[in-house]
Amino acid sequence: MAKNTRDPNEMSFLDHLEELRWHLIRSTMAVVIIGLVAFLMKDFIFDTIIFGPKKMDFPTYRLFCRIATSLGFESAFCAEELPFTIQNRTMAGQFSAHIWTSIWAGFIIGFPYILWEIWRFISPGLYEKERRYSRGFILVASLLFFMGVLFGYYVVAPLSINFLGTYQVSKEVLNEIDISSFISTVRAAVVACGIMFELPIIIFFMTKVGLVTPEILRKYRKIALVIVLIVSAVITPPDVASQIIVAVPVLILYQASIHISSVVLKREAKAKAKHEQSS
């Protein structure tokens, strides 16, 4: 009779699925609970946060206005108000916007907990050395995400709203923006920048599994620069200063990713050489 050599601590595929299911359930519950709190804070979420970039006393507009004035230039950022209105055109539009905004608020605020649940799921499959190297993953990834969220909210969102809200193909056409369109513009800027700022973390893990190297990143740096400048030109007003403000942080992150990739490969080379010497 064959002896069962299976490790009793080893989980089967179905066990892993069950474990993953509970991590997803806990993450979803966290998003729902935080979203419920956000739902009850309707005035603050909408009047202060969501519609903040529509008001000309928004910090970004005041800063750009002061810069333009000090340089002796006229600027659209010094206007008294943006020339567009926000409207609701469907019966359930405002209620739907309220619910989905609350859910996205739950995701953004609960992002560190979601990361923690992901880490709890993957960490048992890592070696002790890999766990040590990845120590601080949740803290660093959360800081990068919230830095991206703040950058998206205070830079990309107001620049996009200022440009798109004042753009006209003809004076015969008035800008009457639907509430869902306005909220999606703010949400896209915030969430996209939050994820974009995770680039160093993504490169770290891609280097660990051998998908990228510093040489590959350096080879395609010029292409990345062109892509970043194109994206910056699309989401910002048509002036060089705004494009540079958006592009510089992304390029810094890209350069930091190259350095991180180099460090990862050097550590792995040292560990391999040490292992060969000991054996």
Side-chain angles (χ1 to χ4, degrees):
M1 183 174 179
K3 185 182 290 186
N4 185 7
T5 59
R6 181 181 175 186
D7 185 349
N9 294 321
E10 184 180 345
M11 297 174 64
S12 67
F13 177 71
L14 292 179
D15 291 334
H16 280 293
L17 285 181
E18 179 66 14
E19 186 72 15
L20 176 61
R21 185 172 76 91
W22 280 107
H23 286 297
L24 292 176
I25 288 174
R26 285 191 291 268
S27 298
T28 303
M29 287 298 296
V31 171
V32 170
I33 292 171
I34 298 172
L36 180 60
V37 175
F39 187 87
L40 298 176
M41 299 174 63
K42 179 179 67 173
D43 293 342
F44 175 75
I45 293 294
F46 282 91
D47 293 339
T48 303
I49 303 297
I50 299 297
F51 297 132
K54 185 186 180 299
K55 303 169 185 175
M56 291 309 297
D57 61 353
F58 194 69
T60 305
Y61 299 144
R62 294 204 307 266
L63 175 62
F64 284 180
C65 177
R66 284 198 296 267
I67 293 174
T69 303
S70 64
L71 295 175
F73 296 115
E74 293 185 1
S75 174
F77 296 113
C78 297
E80 293 184 2
E81 63 180 12
L82 290 171
F84 69 87
T85 58
I86 299 175
Q87 296 187 353
N88 173 55
R89 300 177 183 275
T90 59
M91 184 65 71
Q94 295 197 54
F95 183 68
S96 178
H98 190 185
I99 291 177
W100 280 108
T101 300
S102 300
I103 293 173
W104 278 104
F107 170 78
I108 292 171
I109 299 172
F111 186 77
Y113 180 79
I114 296 172
L115 279 181
W116 185 62
E117 287 290 349
I118 294 173
W119 177 249
R120 287 181 62 196
F121 177 70
I122 65 175
S123 60
L126 301 178
Y127 293 110
E128 183 61 32
K129 181 181 67 176
E130 291 174 328
R131 288 198 196 99
R132 285 201 310 269
Y133 286 156
S134 302
R135 199 169 292 164
F137 159 74
I138 298 174
L139 176 62
V140 174
S142 298
L143 285 175
L144 287 172
F145 179 77
F146 286 123
M147 285 172 60
V149 166
L150 291 174
F151 180 77
Y153 180 71
Y154 283 104
V155 178
V156 178
L159 291 179
S160 301
I161 290 169
N162 185 276
F163 173 62
L164 297 175
T166 58
Y167 187 85
Q168 286 182 291
V169 294
S170 169
K171 293 187 180 299
E172 297 295 323
V173 183
L174 300 178
N175 283 331
E176 297 176 345
I177 314 298
D178 189 75
I179 184 173
S180 62
S181 177
F182 182 90
I183 292 175
S184 67
T185 300
V186 177
R187 182 181 65 237
V190 168
V191 176
C193 286
I195 295 173
M196 181 178 66
F197 270 56
E198 296 292 335
L199 181 61
I201 300 293
I202 296 171
I203 294 298
F204 173 82
F205 285 105
M206 291 180 70
T207 303
K208 291 287 288 182
V209 299
L211 293 178
V212 298
T213 63
E215 290 72 25
I216 293 176
L217 295 173
R218 292 189 186 100
K219 179 181 178 181
Y220 292 103
R221 179 160 42 194
K222 292 182 180 179
I223 297 176
L225 172 61
V226 173
I227 293 174
V228 169
L229 290 175
I230 291 173
V231 173
S232 301
V234 170
I235 66 176
T236 61
D239 64 84
V240 176
S242 299
Q243 294 170 18
I244 291 175
I245 288 171
V246 172
V248 166
V250 182
L251 297 177
I252 292 174
L253 287 171
Y254 190 86
Q255 189 62 38
S257 299
I258 296 175
H259 176 70
I260 290 171
S261 182
S262 299
V263 170
V264 171
L265 291 183
K266 287 178 181 178
R267 283 184 175 180
E268 289 183 347
K270 287 181 180 179
K272 184 178 179 181
K274 187 176 180 181
H275 177 71
E276 290 176 352
Q277 288 177 358
S278 62
S279 60

